[in-house]
Amino acid sequence: MDGNQVPQELVTKVGEAFESILKETDKVREEHDEDMSIQRAISIVFDRRPELRLEGLAHKVLQWYLCRMEGWFAADAETISLKSWDKEELLPGGHGLMVRGYLPVINTLAKGLDIRLGHRVTKITRHYIGVKVTVEGGKTFVADAVVVAVPLGVLKARTIKFEPRLPDWKEAAIDDLGVGIENKIIMHFDKVFWPNVEFLGVVSDTSYGCSYFLNLHKATGHCVLVYMPAGQLARDIEKMSDEAAANFAFTQLKKILPDASSPIQYLVSHWGTDANSLGSYSYDTVGKSHDLYERLRIPVDNLFFAGEATSMSYPGSVHGAFSTGLMAAEDCRMRVLERYGELDLFQPVMGEETPISVPFLISRL
């Protein structure tokens, strides 16, 4: 705050206090049949255990921990489900950074595939004998089966029309799963003026006012910081121009590093309003079942569903998207095998209105 670093021992102490508070919310969860938000559960804990309340700088650090929890779900604490917030399985090995981005991974996975970019899907028509996919401009593709891997926000917006309609239970799963927003404001500087740490935090009286900067210089050698607002703050910033959003992020940075130099370049994401995403990733909302992820994954006839929002174990993650993609591809392969009994019918060719046996992957990211 104001150019002064919060003492590390206080950060550690408040982190331990936050863990204690979350353990107390477990008791609240056990005592209540009905679901509630994490925010309400924490309020109940404070009413019962007033000694867990923190004041002054410690309170502000606690808000930062809550801010990071909200960033994990890309949603505000008052919308996150107490019943299901900790259902995700955490893989061992800690966090890693894709220094070169995901493009090398995508290029490797894409080898040998016929991928059509610039084809925005508008309608998917399924028949017993196959599926017809219509894209903007009216062009159509025909396949035996389709893997639908579009973001949850796109499914919620109904920008893809399904004929016949998806079953009520499938539409309910789409509607009831939450989709959060966490954006990135990337700032490139001409020199490094910050400490050599993985991230920088700005503490505040509320989690809304807290900030989080990822230091890419430590991993990549480039003079880049990434500001990562989530939830309501991210939605508010999306209403700004890119220049205003970058200025806002820089203002937050100046709060902790008053001598910061202005960025020479910036990039701003708009996951909540981007027509190809309409959100960042899924999370469990209050009062809804965690098995919605599995319901979203269940095939409908010859439509197979994949993506992070179809993963019960790893929602909101790349490994969740990847693992469900493998499952959908295998389910799709088995359907074609059941129909034709042979694998060599797969052909790496797609033609307009040409009946083929290639499972068609739809992804708008």
Side-chain angles (χ1 to χ4, degrees):
M1 295 181 63
D2 305 319
N4 298 311
Q5 184 175 346
V6 176
Q8 189 59 49
E9 58 270 20
L10 178 61
V11 176
T12 302
K13 182 178 178 181
V14 174
E16 293 169 352
F18 188 52
E19 287 186 16
S20 298
I21 292 167
L22 290 179
K23 286 180 181 177
E24 289 296 315
T25 64
D26 277 347
K27 299 177 183 177
V28 176
R29 175 164 55 184
E30 292 169 2
E31 295 167 2
H32 290 77
D33 291 331
E34 77 281 3
D35 195 11
M36 67 180 72
S37 70
I38 279 286
Q39 185 72 63
R40 184 184 165 204
I42 291 175
S43 297
I44 292 174
V45 169
F46 284 154
D47 289 339
R48 292 178 177 180
R49 300 278 306 277
E51 73 276 11
L52 291 176
R53 291 183 183 272
L54 301 176
E55 304 293 337
L57 183 56
H59 167 76
K60 294 178 180 181
V61 176
L62 180 65
Q63 294 305 304
W64 188 84
Y65 274 105
L66 185 60
C67 166
R68 293 316 311 137
M69 182 180 188
E70 291 175 329
W72 183 267
F73 295 100
D76 300 301
E78 57 261 29
T79 66
I80 300 169
S81 165
L82 173 66
K83 294 282 187 186
S84 303
W85 75 270
D86 56 353
K87 297 292 186 186
E88 178 183 353
E89 295 180 26
L90 299 179
L91 296 177
H95 294 285
L97 181 69
M98 304 291 288
V99 176
R100 295 169 57 202
Y102 279 103
L103 192 57
V105 178
I106 294 170
N107 287 340
T108 300
L109 294 174
K111 284 181 179 177
L113 299 181
D114 177 18
I115 296 177
R116 307 293 178 92
L117 301 178
H119 287 59
R120 188 188 299 266
V121 175
T122 58
K123 185 165 67 173
I124 300 174
T125 306
R126 69 184 190 275
H127 306 283
Y128 176 74
I129 58 172
V131 184
K132 183 168 72 173
V133 175
T134 305
V135 300
E136 281 184 353
K139 188 175 183 179
T140 60
F141 297 90
V142 175
D144 290 301
V146 164
V147 176
V148 181
V150 302
L152 176 60
V154 173
L155 291 176
K156 282 178 172 291
R158 304 293 197 267
T159 54
I160 297 176
K161 183 178 181 182
F162 290 88
E163 290 186 353
R165 262 185 57 188
L166 294 174
D168 290 344
W169 58 267
K170 179 69 78 174
E171 290 192 343
I174 292 170
D175 292 338
D176 291 345
L177 272 173
V179 61
I181 303 174
E182 182 174 39
N183 276 317
K184 295 178 180 178
I185 300 175
I186 303 159
M187 296 179 290
H188 180 202
F189 300 90
D190 60 354
K191 63 180 179 180
V192 174
F193 50 79
W194 56 87
N196 187 31
V197 292
E198 290 183 9
F199 59 84
L200 301 162
V202 183
V203 299
S204 177
D205 287 320
T206 65
S207 63
Y208 181 89
C210 293
S211 301
Y212 175 87
F213 292 89
L214 178 66
N215 173 21
L216 289 189
H217 182 264
K218 186 175 177 67
T220 67
H222 298 294
C223 303
V224 174
L225 292 175
V226 184
Y227 176 61
M228 300 174 68
Q232 186 58 50
L233 179 60
R235 286 190 288 274
D236 290 342
I237 292 176
E238 281 206 356
K239 298 171 186 174
M240 304 177 183
S241 66
D242 283 8
E243 182 181 9
N247 286 336
F248 179 85
F250 183 61
T251 300
Q252 298 300 103
L253 185 62
K254 291 274 283 187
K255 288 181 180 179
I256 57 171
L257 299 172
D259 297 328
S261 59
S262 298
I264 56 177
Q265 289 177 297
Y266 57 81
L267 286 172
V268 182
S269 70
H270 299 272
W271 296 122
T273 54
D274 188 321
N276 294 320
S277 57
L278 298 176
S280 295
Y281 45 85
S282 61
Y283 72 98
D284 290 279
T285 56
V286 178
K288 305 302 180 182
S289 171
H290 186 69
D291 68 7
L292 289 173
Y293 292 100
E294 180 63 19
R295 285 189 226 171
L296 189 55
R297 192 190 70 83
I298 295 173
V300 175
D301 299 329
N302 43 8
L303 301 185
F304 301 87
F305 293 81
E308 58 82 18
T310 67
S311 175
M312 281 191 70
S313 299
Y314 312 114
S317 67
V318 173
H319 46 282
F322 182 72
S323 61
T324 56
L326 292 178
M327 286 191 286
E330 178 61 17
D331 289 345
C332 185
R333 186 181 76 93
M334 292 306 296
R335 178 177 178 86
V336 175
L337 269 176
E338 288 170 4
R339 175 169 296 173
Y340 298 108
E342 295 186 29
L343 277 176
D344 57 6
L345 289 175
F346 285 88
Q347 301 292 331
V349 176
M350 277 188 187
E352 188 172 353
E353 292 287 8
T354 303
I356 52 175
S357 302
V358 180
F360 189 45
L361 172 67
I362 302 172
S363 176
R364 297 171 79 169
L365 284 181

